[in-house]
Amino acid sequence: MADDIKPRIRVPQTAKKGEVIEVKTLVTHPMESGQRKDAEGKTIPRRIINAVAVTYNGKPVFSAKLEPAISANPYLSFFVRIEEAGTLAFEWKDDNGDVYKAEQKVAVG
């Protein structure tokens, strides 16, 4: 199942110094709450993305703790002020200990 999980990000590739840009993320993930049962009546183990952290040039710019009520394929959007060229680094962690990463460079022009 881990192969089906794919982070996606949408970030402008360039910004003016001081501009606030919108960052959009989506991860294809089942976000199994641990409350459903399979066809045999057995509880499907909980497996959700429980933490998201984003840094810009190594400095934290966004973090979130996610709970089972979040839908499958969680979508997040937030804003970041760009003062210098750099790299947004994204990290999602799930209950199995798996970590999914993505990066996007932003140029200042």
Side-chain angles (χ1 to χ4, degrees):
M1 178 175 282
D3 295 333
D4 298 339
I5 298 170
K6 179 179 178 185
R8 297 178 185 165
I9 53 176
R10 181 169 288 180
V11 178
Q13 294 183 352
T14 61
K16 295 177 184 172
K17 183 176 179 178
E19 182 178 355
V20 176
I21 63 169
E22 184 174 14
V23 177
K24 299 176 182 178
T25 72
L26 184 143
V27 178
T28 53
H29 192 282
M31 297 294 280
E32 191 57 58
S33 69
Q35 298 178 355
R36 293 186 326 125
K37 297 189 186 285
D38 63 14
E40 298 173 0
K42 296 179 183 174
T43 301
I44 300 171
R46 175 182 144 156
R47 184 177 181 205
I48 66 167
I49 291 178
N50 56 39
V52 179
V54 182
T55 61
Y56 189 68
N57 289 340
K59 298 176 185 171
V61 294
F62 178 83
S63 65
K65 179 181 175 190
L66 303 182
E67 302 291 340
I70 301 287
S71 69
N73 307 322
Y75 168 81
L76 298 171
S77 175
F78 56 93
F79 295 89
V80 176
R81 181 180 307 278
I82 300 298
E83 297 291 343
E84 62 187 11
T87 302
L88 280 163
F90 302 79
E91 186 174 279
W92 298 263
K93 296 179 182 176
D94 76 8
D95 287 339
N96 286 1
D98 294 328
V99 178
Y100 311 98
K101 295 181 179 185
E103 287 187 353
Q104 175 68 54
K105 292 185 180 194
V106 179
V108 172

